[in-house]
Amino acid sequence: MSNTIGQIFRLTTFGESHGEVVGGVIDGCPAGLCLDMNLIQQELDRRRPSRELCGTARHESDEVRFLSGLYEGRTIGAPIAFVVENKDVRSKDYSLNQHTFRPGHADYTYYSKYDHVDYRGGGRASARETVVRVVAGAIAKQLLLTFGIEFVSCVNRIGGIGELFQNYSFEQLKENRNFPLSPDNSLAQYMKNEIAKASAEGDSVGGSCVCVVRGVPVGIGEPLYDKLQARLAYAMLSIPACKGFDYGEGFNAATMRGSENNDAFVASDGRVSTKTNHCGGILGGISTGNDISFRVAFKPTPTIAIKQQTVTDAGEQVEASFTGRHDACVAVRALPVVEAMAAITILDMMLLRNTNTL
Amino acid sequence: MSNTIGQIFRLTTFGESHGEVVGGVIDGCPAGLCLDMNLIQQELDRRRPSRELCGTARHESDEVRFLSGLYEGRTIGAPIAFVVENKDVRSKDYSLNQHTFRPGHADYTYYSKYDHVDYRGGGRASARETVVRVVAGAIAKQLLLTFGIEFVSCVNRIGGIGELFQNYSFEQLKENRNFPLSPDNSLAQYMKNEIAKASAEGDSVGGSCVCVVRGVPVGIGEPLYDKLQARLAYAMLSIPACKGFDYGEGFNAATMRGSENNDAFVASDGRVSTKTNHCGGILGGISTGNDISFRVAFKPTPTIAIKQQTVTDAGEQVEASFTGRHDACVAVRALPVVEAMAAITILDMMLLRNTNTL
Amino acid sequence: MSNTIGQIFRLTTFGESHGEVVGGVIDGCPAGLCLDMNLIQQELDRRRPSRELCGTARHESDEVRFLSGLYEGRTIGAPIAFVVENKDVRSKDYSLNQHTFRPGHADYTYYSKYDHVDYRGGGRASARETVVRVVAGAIAKQLLLTFGIEFVSCVNRIGGIGELFQNYSFEQLKENRNFPLSPDNSLAQYMKNEIAKASAEGDSVGGSCVCVVRGVPVGIGEPLYDKLQARLAYAMLSIPACKGFDYGEGFNAATMRGSENNDAFVASDGRVSTKTNHCGGILGGISTGNDISFRVAFKPTPTIAIKQQTVTDAGEQVEASFTGRHDACVAVRALPVVEAMAAITILDMMLLRNTNTL
Amino acid sequence: MSNTIGQIFRLTTFGESHGEVVGGVIDGCPAGLCLDMNLIQQELDRRRPSRELCGTARHESDEVRFLSGLYEGRTIGAPIAFVVENKDVRSKDYSLNQHTFRPGHADYTYYSKYDHVDYRGGGRASARETVVRVVAGAIAKQLLLTFGIEFVSCVNRIGGIGELFQNYSFEQLKENRNFPLSPDNSLAQYMKNEIAKASAEGDSVGGSCVCVVRGVPVGIGEPLYDKLQARLAYAMLSIPACKGFDYGEGFNAATMRGSENNDAFVASDGRVSTKTNHCGGILGGISTGNDISFRVAFKPTPTIAIKQQTVTDAGEQVEASFTGRHDACVAVRALPVVEAMAAITILDMMLLRNTNTL
């Protein structure tokens, strides 16, 4: 009962990974926005598996089809419904395993929660549904861009390569915009190798990424529970395979002194800002006007070719190997999803702020 | 507009740190629960500063007073309102600084958001409000305990001491119940010294903690956005000074292989469980029935005696030193708050699950 | 931002009357319900204009197409998305008037609210969207029927014919199930004539209807604001053209004495019930277990052939006559919509009740 | 779980009629409003029983005490908590009947819903809780008045006296501001007699009232379910003893022709308005800018001295007479409650409208 996210800019999603379509309905998008369909497609393409990086054999050329809410390409204040066809449903790939609980997947928990109704219930738990988030996020981004708000991101750690709590600047990441891995070329090369190695061994590998948002004005975020970081954390941890979130110095702050971590305030030309940005652009749950930076950890893809011990829905203990069209490292394709969820969240909070005054 | 948390078991809070009281209203608590007032007081006492550990001079003996929702000590299905007096408001301590934006605090962002109305608006951003969370959490815990659900926690890192991603078992933490630091005695001693050293230097220090929840049945958590981990992350990041959340292997999973991180399913006596618990008791957003474990990072207390550069609300650049009744390490007192927010969240999700079937 | 209704059983709708489709997403429908597609079609057919009664020339044979949430005809706990094609969009009929604010319609208010973006924004205000409510309601009804809950209704007043506050018994209405007008044959004949007369004169006529729900158990409805009658009133007043709602004795109660209006309690075989049912099956916002009865008033169709004074979006004063495929009396076709909204509301409240205890 | 109303301007209430206090928390009130405590007291006094009209012996001099959210008399954006003491709790009056289900009251339904926990659970169903609505409404009204929005109302029918669907103009009602009955003096005298007669006979009498809101700008109200009239209906039907709601021509519209009921649009000085206001200031769920008018029906007070047949919680059939400090006609004291709920609703919708654009 919670396939909706947001209070004002609200996304409701539907569709199983092995069904005909996945789709969404956006309610609360202000009227008058001219949608640039190319920008939406670009984000969808960023989400496609890169043959080079991910070694997946699945070819999805996702195309969004709008069912409502637009008139001559502009939003009209009515709900924007859209679907993306699941072109490449090869159920045979999956049917073999449909009575076996895949380790690391939601098969068993969905099976338990929904009274054994359907082995496809878990279709909602599939990464396939993130395509809907990307479409909604691309719309949110366009609206935010008209206010000068931009999102950039990269993978900063894959398996043994890179630093977990490495932060990159907005400029570094923007320059690197079309490449998902670290802006440091040699590090990026090691990352590629790490993925390739895991893939070659029939295994997968985890990764984490960093996202930076520039241009959010001061004053966004709501006390007490709807702190901006709380809403971002919620949005990120709702992404499949996400295992953690931190912002600013994040976990690193646990190792620091107050005198190191505090950001001095400076005034210039009547404008207040912080000298450093250890706080990640948020103080007391409310944006400072500085760059908002956060990190998100992803577990290794649970579907691996290596044999694993598991159980069938009949309670039999078995060994099984799961193949399919899966990426060895989900973090790489997660970047547009992370940005999309951040955009949806920040847009919602910006609209909410409009209610702080009459 | 977001001083309420929860969908079914809903907590609304009120009160400024320097006002007369802080308080809350719990809506949606099932009728018929006999409240044990001693258990509530115990949790409140855990939240009090330990002179030994924290070196704070503030003496709060918090007492909760119930205004509604109880009859002869039992909940009746009506909203439970309560207040906790702010006994020790020494506004003089604070008034000196009321025109100066404290680095690391919400003064500036609240000032900007609420149109400069009040220097006390930030009173909502104070750690004082967490006392209300602890009361509500103590009630949630009591209800959950009747279902065999228990919460334990400890600090696993303070400044340079301890391991950020150290997990402790439920048993270890339960045995260590009355002590907030690591169950490893010598490590705990180092932690104490770390706090004392920071305090002596007029500084503060960050910390992180781990929480384990035992007894949550399989099937708790809602797809798609209300994944159990998403709701937990939201709850944790809403706590003042919290900088990060991860669960199970968390950020560590970014460094792992799928074959390491996946938990094999095993069947015994017709019951399915996982051999290991790298997933932290949650798969696909839904509880597996195993222990739920997560970690929360806290920044160093921003109020420090060391001089810092900052700005007044008149835009003047100044240097200021802030003293007051503040702990050198908030993570220590945060434990009952972390457990409280976990309890509020899990109870809410358990009540929500009741709506999955008619 | 409010194209969603319900807390647990939640319907989100989309689609403009002159777009390709209208549709909806149902979130929170329990898993395991076998959908009877014939029952859904029956409700859709009840909503079609009756040539005999309404004299409309529009022929809609609405067919629902499900996009998600079903597996082999059963609900799986995932969101149920569906669309209904707008087969008969003859935009030419409408385009003539697209710059003229139709009296009694939402043209002017939508135009003002949404910054003049689109003359089709009002497409959401069209009665066309009620087809989506009927589909969702048909699903809710099926689920409720498994608990023995049934909905019946009829028109009790049209223009000068019939009594506004006439109540009919569940039995009377059930026997009359396939006929929308009063169970009193001669009265029904007068009603038909009233519609025919208005239609012949290029005019329209108002009407009101009564709905009775049998089988709702005692205890449904939530204090304080989510009283069952408050949620029903909300649902009814959200239907286009609806002008009023009352339940039990309703407005009539304003003319009564307490000794007349109170329902005596009687006990038999350990079961408590009320001797009479002036209260309409609800006391203190909570169902008594007796039949729930309420009435809904509809205004005359605003689109009429008679010339009216109005204004264009350029601010010119004009006289205009509006024709189109419109019914002379919306109350007749509103019956399945009224029942659908009642079913959606009552199902939601039944699921909510499950959260009153753990 | 629904003791909260509103999306942005949110009121959460608590307190049983026989407890120490009733109270509320307002979240989402914009910062910077200077509260005029006299205006709040005035509204509270309007809600007090008039000895002349109501013949009640209860003397409540309600005083509100604010616990949070104000600084030097101004709102600061933080939650506004307040309590009103239940000074005159004479539990003995009630205790006699505590095992007997009072006809027309919520005793039996609460008893059933909350598992027999407490005979005082019904304390939430008492009219006492409306005092909290009046306080919150008085705050909403003050904020709305700064935008020129005003609320007036009167009783238009009591028992056999007056017309149910009588509308009065804003001017008539404003002139009559300090008197709750009809502005027609002789009619008002008949109404008084009707109440006195019912009271003298140990009985009670129903009544209905009309409320007019002037100054709401065009564009308030949200499609599709949050139509302004739907939210008003919800708010009104949540008031104890309320049995019906209609707006504009309301139920009367069911008896009219479209050509009578439609309001012609007229343009003057570039401003569009309607010549008549049969629509009650709302079209398509959105305000037109004209006066919003609606009516609310109240049942007769269920507590009467006349003997009634009823049942005890032990299932025994008894005859009982209920006395206490009750008004013979609740409609009279309901006026400030009706206005308060309208103000809370309209303010919420006005704040929501701010989210329609970025």
Side-chain angles (χ1 to χ4, degrees):
Chain A
M1 59 140 290
S2 60
N3 294 280
T4 297
I5 191 168
Q7 271 187 271
I8 303 294
F9 185 87
R10 293 164 65 81
L11 171 65
T12 299
T13 63
F14 58 85
E16 295 80 49
S17 57
H18 305 132
E20 182 187 341
V21 295
V22 290
V25 183
I26 297 170
D27 199 5
C29 186
L33 175 71
C34 240
L35 280 196
D36 181 334
M37 296 298 168
N38 290 331
L39 288 178
I40 297 174
Q41 193 60 50
Q42 254 171 49
E43 293 297 307
L44 286 171
D45 291 345
R46 284 178 71 201
R47 190 190 156 277
R48 290 183 61 191
S50 147
R51 189 184 299 262
E52 182 193 0
L53 288 175
C54 301
T56 176
R58 191 171 196 169
H59 300 288
E60 310 167 46
S61 64
D62 290 314
E63 283 168 68
V64 63
R65 190 158 70 86
F66 287 93
L67 302 179
S68 70
L70 300 179
Y71 181 62
E72 296 178 353
R74 298 172 80 193
T75 61
I76 58 172
I80 302 166
F82 59 90
V83 289
V84 181
E85 214 181 305
N86 291 331
K87 288 184 180 164
D88 197 21
V89 178
R90 284 188 272 168
S91 7
K92 273 172 296 181
D93 284 17
Y94 295 89
S95 61
L96 295 167
N97 302 318
Q98 77 166 344
H99 290 285
T100 308
F101 300 135
R102 290 167 296 164
H105 276 282
D107 299 343
Y108 167 64
T109 51
Y110 268 69
Y111 179 84
S112 301
K113 186 177 184 71
Y114 293 112
D115 285 338
H116 316 181
V117 162
D118 175 29
Y119 300 98
R120 309 207 313 181
R124 285 297 284 162
S126 157
R128 178 65 189 151
E129 92 28 64
T130 60
V131 78
V132 178
R133 305 182 189 229
V134 168
V135 173
I139 293 172
K141 274 182 180 177
Q142 285 189 43
L143 199 46
L144 291 170
L145 191 58
T146 66
F147 291 83
I149 300 172
E150 287 181 83
F151 299 78
V152 294
S153 62
C154 83
V155 172
N156 64 352
R157 169 97 182 208
I158 288 178
I161 310 301
E163 291 296 324
L164 259 190
F165 298 108
Q166 176 80 48
N167 270 326
Y168 292 100
S169 72
F170 179 81
E171 286 79 7
Q172 278 177 299
L173 294 176
K174 190 162 185 186
E175 207 185 303
N176 199 45
R177 192 81 183 94
N178 298 313
F179 185 67
L181 304 184
S182 168
D184 173 335
N185 286 343
S186 65
L187 189 60
Q189 192 53 53
Y190 281 114
M191 286 176 165
K192 279 192 210 179
N193 297 347
E194 185 85 350
I195 298 173
K197 206 174 143 216
S199 189
E201 294 171 13
D203 209 342
S204 62
V205 64
S208 80
C209 51
V210 57
C211 179
V212 180
V213 191
R214 173 157 290 180
V216 177
V218 64
I220 306 302
E222 297 290 321
L224 197 75
Y225 300 110
D226 274 350
K227 289 186 167 76
L228 185 47
Q229 68 270 34
R231 291 284 294 268
L232 285 171
Y234 172 80
M236 296 307 144
L237 268 296
S238 80
I239 302 174
C242 175
K243 298 296 290 185
F245 165 90
D246 68 357
Y247 77 102
E249 288 292 343
F251 273 90
N252 204 32
T255 71
M256 293 168 77
R257 284 290 183 89
S259 52
E260 291 173 274
N261 184 60
N262 279 353
D263 301 302
F265 284 113
V266 288
S268 85
D269 303 333
R271 229 178 54 82
V272 176
S273 60
T274 58
K275 208 171 176 178
T276 49
N277 190 17
H278 298 293
C279 71
I282 305 173
L283 281 173
I286 298 168
S287 60
T288 64
N290 211 328
D291 289 350
I292 292 169
S293 67
F294 61 88
R295 280 160 308 202
V296 187
F298 290 95
K299 70 177 182 184
T301 318
T303 308
I304 54 175
I306 293 172
K307 275 219 165 129
Q308 298 171 89
Q309 195 180 346
T310 188
V311 168
T312 67
D313 58 14
E316 287 173 297
Q317 195 76 48
V318 294
E319 272 212 331
S321 162
F322 299 87
T323 53
R325 295 147 301 155
H326 296 280
D327 304 328
C329 180
V330 291
V332 179
R333 288 178 65 195
L335 294 179
V337 183
V338 164
E339 291 182 19
M341 295 311 289
I344 289 166
T345 301
I346 287 170
L347 176 53
D348 191 40
M349 302 303 282
M350 286 191 70
L351 291 166
L352 261 175
R353 190 192 45 166
N354 289 352
T355 67
N356 291 156
T357 48
L358 197 67
Chain B
M1 59 140 288
S2 60
N3 295 281
T4 297
I5 192 167
Q7 271 186 269
I8 303 295
F9 185 87
R10 293 164 65 82
L11 171 64
T12 298
T13 62
F14 58 86
E16 295 80 48
S17 57
H18 306 133
E20 181 188 342
V21 295
V22 290
V25 183
I26 297 169
D27 199 5
C29 184
L33 176 71
C34 242
L35 281 196
D36 181 335
M37 295 299 167
N38 290 330
L39 287 177
I40 297 174
Q41 193 60 51
Q42 252 172 52
E43 293 297 307
L44 285 172
D45 292 345
R46 284 179 71 201
R47 191 192 154 276
R48 290 182 62 191
S50 149
R51 191 183 300 262
E52 182 192 1
L53 287 175
C54 302
T56 177
R58 191 172 196 168
H59 299 291
E60 310 166 47
S61 65
D62 290 315
E63 282 168 68
V64 63
R65 190 158 70 86
F66 287 94
L67 302 179
S68 70
L70 300 179
Y71 181 62
E72 296 178 353
R74 298 172 80 193
T75 61
I76 58 172
I80 302 166
F82 59 90
V83 289
V84 181
E85 214 182 305
N86 291 332
K87 287 184 181 165
D88 195 21
V89 177
R90 285 188 271 168
S91 8
K92 275 171 296 180
D93 284 18
Y94 294 89
S95 62
L96 296 168
N97 302 317
Q98 78 167 346
H99 290 284
T100 308
F101 300 135
R102 289 168 296 165
H105 275 282
D107 299 342
Y108 167 65
T109 50
Y110 268 69
Y111 180 84
S112 301
K113 187 177 184 70
Y114 293 113
D115 285 339
H116 316 181
V117 162
D118 174 30
Y119 300 99
R120 310 205 314 181
R124 284 298 283 164
S126 156
R128 177 64 189 151
E129 86 38 55
T130 59
V131 77
V132 177
R133 304 182 190 228
V134 168
V135 173
I139 294 172
K141 274 182 180 177
Q142 284 188 44
L143 198 46
L144 290 170
L145 191 59
T146 66
F147 291 83
I149 300 173
E150 287 181 82
F151 299 77
V152 293
S153 62
C154 82
V155 172
N156 63 353
R157 168 98 183 209
I158 288 178
I161 310 301
E163 291 297 323
L164 261 189
F165 298 108
Q166 176 81 47
N167 271 324
Y168 291 100
S169 72
F170 178 82
E171 287 78 7
Q172 278 177 298
L173 294 176
K174 190 162 183 185
E175 208 185 301
N176 198 46
R177 193 80 183 95
N178 297 314
F179 185 66
L181 305 182
S182 167
D184 173 334
N185 285 344
S186 64
L187 189 58
Q189 192 53 53
Y190 282 114
M191 286 176 167
K192 279 191 210 178
N193 297 347
E194 186 84 350
I195 298 173
K197 207 174 142 216
S199 189
E201 295 172 11
D203 210 342
S204 63
V205 64
S208 80
C209 51
V210 58
C211 178
V212 180
V213 190
R214 174 157 290 181
V216 177
V218 64
I220 306 301
E222 297 290 320
L224 198 75
Y225 301 110
D226 274 349
K227 289 186 166 78
L228 184 47
Q229 68 269 35
R231 291 285 294 268
L232 284 171
Y234 171 80
M236 296 306 144
L237 268 297
S238 80
I239 302 174
C242 175
K243 298 295 290 185
F245 165 90
D246 69 356
Y247 77 103
E249 288 292 343
F251 273 90
N252 205 31
T255 72
M256 291 167 77
R257 283 291 183 87
S259 53
E260 291 173 274
N261 184 60
N262 280 352
D263 300 302
F265 284 111
V266 288
S268 86
D269 303 332
R271 229 178 53 84
V272 176
S273 59
T274 58
K275 209 170 175 179
T276 49
N277 190 18
H278 299 291
C279 71
I282 306 173
L283 281 173
I286 298 166
S287 60
T288 64
N290 210 328
D291 289 350
I292 293 170
S293 66
F294 60 88
R295 280 161 307 201
V296 187
F298 290 95
K299 70 177 183 184
T301 318
T303 307
I304 54 176
I306 293 173
K307 276 220 165 128
Q308 299 171 88
Q309 195 181 346
T310 189
V311 169
T312 67
D313 58 14
E316 287 174 298
Q317 195 77 47
V318 294
E319 272 214 330
S321 162
F322 299 87
T323 52
R325 296 148 300 157
H326 295 280
D327 304 328
C329 181
V330 292
V332 179
R333 290 177 64 193
L335 294 179
V337 183
V338 164
E339 291 182 20
M341 295 310 289
I344 289 167
T345 301
I346 287 170
L347 176 53
D348 191 40
M349 303 303 283
M350 286 190 69
L351 290 166
L352 262 174
R353 190 191 46 166
N354 288 352
T355 67
N356 291 156
T357 48
L358 198 68
Chain C
M1 58 140 289
S2 59
N3 294 281
T4 297
I5 192 168
Q7 271 186 269
I8 303 296
F9 184 87
R10 293 164 65 81
L11 171 64
T12 299
T13 63
F14 57 86
E16 294 81 48
S17 57
H18 306 133
E20 181 187 342
V21 295
V22 290
V25 184
I26 298 169
D27 199 5
C29 185
L33 175 71
C34 242
L35 281 196
D36 181 335
M37 296 299 167
N38 290 330
L39 287 178
I40 297 174
Q41 193 60 49
Q42 253 172 50
E43 294 296 307
L44 285 172
D45 292 345
R46 284 178 71 201
R47 189 191 157 277
R48 291 182 62 191
S50 148
R51 190 184 301 263
E52 181 194 1
L53 288 176
C54 302
T56 177
R58 191 173 196 166
H59 299 289
E60 310 167 46
S61 63
D62 290 314
E63 283 168 67
V64 63
R65 190 158 71 85
F66 287 93
L67 303 179
S68 70
L70 300 179
Y71 181 63
E72 296 178 352
R74 297 173 80 193
T75 61
I76 58 172
I80 302 166
F82 59 89
V83 288
V84 181
E85 213 181 307
N86 291 332
K87 286 184 180 164
D88 197 20
V89 177
R90 285 188 271 170
S91 6
K92 274 171 295 181
D93 285 17
Y94 295 89
S95 62
L96 295 168
N97 302 318
Q98 77 167 344
H99 291 285
T100 308
F101 300 136
R102 290 168 296 164
H105 276 281
D107 299 342
Y108 166 63
T109 50
Y110 268 69
Y111 179 84
S112 301
K113 186 178 184 70
Y114 293 113
D115 286 338
H116 316 182
V117 162
D118 175 30
Y119 301 97
R120 309 206 314 180
R124 285 297 284 164
S126 157
R128 177 65 189 150
E129 79 50 46
T130 60
V131 78
V132 178
R133 305 182 189 228
V134 168
V135 173
I139 294 171
K141 274 182 179 175
Q142 284 189 44
L143 199 45
L144 290 170
L145 192 58
T146 66
F147 291 82
I149 299 172
E150 286 181 84
F151 299 78
V152 294
S153 62
C154 83
V155 172
N156 63 353
R157 169 96 182 210
I158 288 178
I161 310 301
E163 292 297 323
L164 261 189
F165 298 108
Q166 175 82 48
N167 271 324
Y168 292 100
S169 72
F170 179 81
E171 287 78 7
Q172 279 177 298
L173 294 176
K174 189 161 184 186
E175 207 185 303
N176 198 46
R177 192 82 183 94
N178 297 313
F179 184 66
L181 305 183
S182 167
D184 173 335
N185 285 343
S186 65
L187 189 58
Q189 192 53 52
Y190 282 114
M191 286 176 165
K192 279 190 209 179
N193 296 348
E194 186 85 349
I195 298 173
K197 205 174 144 215
S199 189
E201 294 171 12
D203 210 342
S204 61
V205 64
S208 80
C209 50
V210 58
C211 180
V212 180
V213 191
R214 174 157 289 180
V216 177
V218 65
I220 306 301
E222 297 291 320
L224 198 77
Y225 301 110
D226 274 349
K227 289 187 167 76
L228 185 46
Q229 68 269 35
R231 291 285 294 269
L232 284 171
Y234 172 80
M236 295 306 145
L237 268 296
S238 80
I239 302 174
C242 175
K243 298 295 290 185
F245 165 91
D246 69 355
Y247 77 103
E249 288 292 343
F251 273 90
N252 205 32
T255 71
M256 292 167 78
R257 285 289 184 88
S259 53
E260 291 173 274
N261 185 60
N262 280 351
D263 300 302
F265 283 113
V266 289
S268 86
D269 303 332
R271 229 177 53 84
V272 175
S273 60
T274 57
K275 208 170 176 178
T276 50
N277 190 17
H278 298 292
C279 71
I282 305 173
L283 281 173
I286 298 166
S287 60
T288 65
N290 211 328
D291 289 350
I292 292 170
S293 68
F294 60 89
R295 279 159 309 200
V296 188
F298 290 95
K299 69 177 182 184
T301 317
T303 307
I304 54 175
I306 293 172
K307 275 217 164 130
Q308 298 171 88
Q309 195 181 346
T310 188
V311 169
T312 67
D313 58 15
E316 288 174 297
Q317 195 76 48
V318 295
E319 273 214 328
S321 162
F322 300 88
T323 52
R325 297 149 301 158
H326 296 279
D327 303 328
C329 180
V330 292
V332 179
R333 290 177 65 194
L335 295 179
V337 183
V338 164
E339 291 182 19
M341 294 311 288
I344 289 167
T345 301
I346 287 170
L347 176 53
D348 191 40
M349 302 304 282
M350 287 191 68
L351 291 166
L352 262 175
R353 190 191 47 165
N354 290 351
T355 67
N356 292 156
T357 49
L358 198 67
Chain D
M1 60 141 288
S2 62
N3 294 281
T4 297
I5 191 167
Q7 271 187 270
I8 303 295
F9 184 87
R10 292 163 66 81
L11 171 65
T12 299
T13 63
F14 58 85
E16 294 81 48
S17 57
H18 305 133
E20 182 188 342
V21 295
V22 290
V25 183
I26 297 169
D27 199 4
C29 185
L33 175 71
C34 242
L35 281 196
D36 181 336
M37 296 298 168
N38 289 331
L39 288 177
I40 298 174
Q41 193 60 50
Q42 252 171 51
E43 294 297 307
L44 285 172
D45 292 345
R46 286 178 69 201
R47 190 191 156 277
R48 291 182 62 191
S50 148
R51 190 184 300 261
E52 182 193 1
L53 288 175
C54 301
T56 177
R58 191 171 196 167
H59 299 290
E60 310 167 45
S61 64
D62 290 314
E63 283 168 68
V64 63
R65 191 158 70 85
F66 287 93
L67 302 179
S68 70
L70 300 179
Y71 181 61
E72 297 178 352
R74 297 172 80 195
T75 61
I76 58 171
I80 302 166
F82 59 90
V83 289
V84 181
E85 213 181 305
N86 292 331
K87 288 184 181 166
D88 196 23
V89 177
R90 284 188 273 168
S91 7
K92 275 171 296 180
D93 284 18
Y94 295 89
S95 61
L96 295 168
N97 301 317
Q98 77 165 343
H99 290 286
T100 309
F101 301 135
R102 289 168 296 165
H105 276 281
D107 299 342
Y108 166 64
T109 51
Y110 268 69
Y111 179 85
S112 301
K113 186 177 184 71
Y114 294 112
D115 285 339
H116 316 181
V117 163
D118 174 30
Y119 300 98
R120 309 206 316 180
R124 285 298 283 164
S126 157
R128 177 67 189 150
E129 90 31 60
T130 60
V131 78
V132 178
R133 304 182 190 228
V134 169
V135 173
I139 294 172
K141 274 182 180 177
Q142 284 189 43
L143 198 46
L144 291 170
L145 191 59
T146 66
F147 292 83
I149 300 172
E150 288 181 82
F151 299 77
V152 293
S153 62
C154 82
V155 172
N156 63 352
R157 168 97 183 208
I158 288 178
I161 310 300
E163 292 296 323
L164 259 190
F165 298 108
Q166 175 82 47
N167 270 324
Y168 292 100
S169 72
F170 179 82
E171 286 79 7
Q172 279 178 298
L173 294 176
K174 191 162 183 186
E175 207 185 303
N176 198 45
R177 192 81 182 94
N178 297 313
F179 184 66
L181 304 183
S182 168
D184 173 335
N185 285 343
S186 65
L187 189 58
Q189 191 52 53
Y190 283 114
M191 286 176 167
K192 279 192 211 179
N193 297 346
E194 185 85 349
I195 298 173
K197 206 175 142 216
S199 190
E201 295 172 12
D203 209 343
S204 62
V205 64
S208 80
C209 50
V210 57
C211 180
V212 179
V213 190
R214 174 156 289 180
V216 177
V218 65
I220 306 301
E222 297 290 319
L224 198 77
Y225 300 110
D226 274 349
K227 289 186 167 77
L228 185 46
Q229 68 268 36
R231 291 284 294 268
L232 284 171
Y234 172 80
M236 296 306 144
L237 269 296
S238 80
I239 302 174
C242 175
K243 297 296 290 185
F245 164 91
D246 68 357
Y247 77 103
E249 288 292 343
F251 272 90
N252 204 31
T255 73
M256 292 167 78
R257 283 292 182 87
S259 53
E260 290 173 275
N261 184 61
N262 279 352
D263 300 301
F265 283 112
V266 288
S268 86
D269 304 331
R271 227 177 54 84
V272 175
S273 59
T274 58
K275 208 169 175 178
T276 48
N277 190 18
H278 298 292
C279 71
I282 305 173
L283 281 173
I286 298 167
S287 59
T288 64
N290 211 328
D291 289 351
I292 293 169
S293 68
F294 60 88
R295 280 160 308 203
V296 187
F298 290 95
K299 69 177 182 184
T301 318
T303 307
I304 54 176
I306 293 172
K307 275 219 165 127
Q308 298 172 88
Q309 195 181 347
T310 188
V311 169
T312 68
D313 59 15
E316 287 173 296
Q317 196 75 47
V318 295
E319 273 213 331
S321 163
F322 300 87
T323 52
R325 296 150 299 159
H326 296 280
D327 304 329
C329 180
V330 292
V332 179
R333 289 178 65 194
L335 294 179
V337 183
V338 165
E339 291 182 20
M341 294 311 288
I344 289 167
T345 300
I346 286 171
L347 175 53
D348 192 41
M349 302 304 282
M350 286 191 69
L351 291 166
L352 261 175
R353 191 192 45 166
N354 289 352
T355 67
N356 291 156
T357 49
L358 199 68

